[in-house]
Amino acid sequence: MDAIQKSKIELIKAPPGIEGAGFFATSLDKAVGIARSNSLWPLPFATSCCGIEFMATMASTYDLARFGSERLSFSPRQADLLMVMGTIAKKLAPVLLQVYEQMAEPRWVLSMGACASSGGIFDTYSVLQGIDRILPVDVYIPGCPPRPEQVLDGIMQIQKLAQSETIRRRSSPEYSELLNKYGIE
Amino acid sequence: MDNNSLLTIIQDKLTSQFGSDFLSAELVAEYPTFIVKKDSIANVIKFLYDDKELAFQYLTTLAAIHYPDNQGQEFAVMYQLHNLPKNLRIRVKIFFSVNDLAVPSITSIFSGANWMERQEYDFFGIQFIGHPNLKRILNMDDMDYHPMRKEYALEDGTRKDKDDKMFGR
C-alpha cells in the first residue's frame, strides 16, 4: 500500500464560514468570488509576439488549465477576461473597444507586454500609446514579451481581484463613472 | 539587352514621342531611370505599355518621396516598371511642387495601381486625378494629416511622459 502516493493536487479551500452538522454558511460574495476566479474564460486578443508567449502559457509546460482558464472564448459574449497581447494600432482601437463592449459583466482586462500597456517601442503616429487610453485595465504585465511565468502571475492577480470583488461593485455609481470616463455606455 | 542600350532605346523613343515633356535619362545604380513632366506621366506609362518592343506591362511598385529642401520640386513619384518576357526593369520619375499635387492616375492602365495610389494619397496627400476611389487605405479614416511628409514628427504627439531628461529629445 506504500506504493500508492498521495495526490499532489491541491483543491480550492472553502472560504471562511460557519460549519456544522449538515450545513456550511458563508457570504455570497466569497462563494461567488471563488467560483468566478477559478473558471475565468479568457478572450485572447493577440496581435503580435506576446500572443506567441501566451501560446506557451497555454501549452503543457506552463499549463494555464491549472488555474481554471483553459477554456478560451473567442466570442466576447462568453468571455470574462480580455487579454490584450500585442501592439494595438490606432486603426484597431475601435475594434478592441467594440470587443470590450460586447463582453458581459463581470469583465476584467489584462494588458500584456510593453506595447499593449504603453505603446512600447512603437512611439509613432500609427500606434495606440497604451490600451488604457480607450478602456479600463485591471492588470498590466511588463516585459517585451513577458515570460509565461509573468502571464501566470498576471492571471493570478486577476483571480485575486475576482475573489475580492463584491457582487455589487459592477452596479455601483463609481463603476459607471469609471466607464463613462472612457465614453463607454 | 544590357541596361545601357535599353537606356538609349527608350530615350530615343520617348524623345520622338513626347518631345519636351521628356526631361532626362540616366543610369542610377545600373538601373535605367527616366524623368518626365508630371502631366504626361499617364501617357508615358501607356506608351511604354503599348509599345511592341518595350512592353512594360507589369507595375512592380510606385512610391511617393518627399524632398522638403528641394524648392519647387518638393515631391516625387517613382514608378517601377517590368517587362516580364525579357526581364527588363526601368524607373520613371516625376517631380512637382507642394502647391500642385495633382498627378494623373494610372489606374486605367494598371488596376494594381489602385491601392498603391491610395497609399501615396494616404501618406503624402498626393491627389491622383482619375482615381476611382481615392481615400485613406492604411491609416485611420479620421487622421487629419499625411504622416510621411517630413514636416511631421514620427512620434505620437500625445505622449506626456517622455521628456528631455529621460529620452534626450
Side-chain angles (χ1 to χ4, degrees), chain B residues 94-110:
Chain B
I94 51 175
F95 287 88
F96 47 97
S97 152
V98 65
N99 301 315
D100 179 21
L101 294 173
V103 173
S105 169
I106 59 163
T107 45
S108 57
I109 308 159
F110 293 108

Side-chain angles (χ1 to χ4, degrees), chain A residues 90-91 118 123 129 133, chain B residues 137 156 158-159 162 169:
Chain A
K90 281 179 183 164
K91 203 172 180 178
S118 71
D123 180 7
Q129 302 296 301
R133 296 193 173 209
Chain B
I137 184 168
D156 183 275
T158 59
R159 287 284 287 260
K162 288 192 162 182
R169 279 192 183 168

Side-chain angles (χ1 to χ4, degrees), chain B residues 17-91:
Chain B
Q17 188 72 23
F18 294 98
S20 64
D21 279 0
F22 169 63
L23 297 174
S24 69
E26 62 172 325
L27 273 187
V28 181
E30 296 296 299
Y31 216 116
T33 304
F34 306 91
I35 299 174
V36 301
K37 280 195 179 156
K38 181 192 72 168
D39 293 327
S40 62
I41 182 67
N43 296 334
V44 168
I45 286 177
K46 180 92 175 102
F47 171 76
L48 294 169
Y49 186 103
D50 289 337
D51 188 278
K52 289 279 181 298
E53 189 192 358
L54 302 175
F56 285 100
Q57 298 188 348
Y58 179 71
L59 177 69
T60 309
T61 187
L62 73 84
I65 312 158
H66 187 200
Y67 299 105
D69 300 330
N70 202 4
Q71 286 291 323
Q73 297 194 325
E74 286 89 353
F75 283 91
V77 178
M78 184 276 302
Y79 301 81
Q80 215 163 352
L81 301 170
H82 192 177
N83 175 332
L84 284 164
K86 296 180 189 166
N87 196 23
L88 306 173
R89 293 169 185 274
I90 59 164
R91 272 186 205 131

Side-chain angles (χ1 to χ4, degrees), chain A residues 41 48 95 102 111 113 154 156 160 165 173:
Chain A
W41 286 13
S48 43
V95 179
Q102 285 174 343
S111 167
M156 286 162 75
K160 273 188 195 147
E165 184 176 309

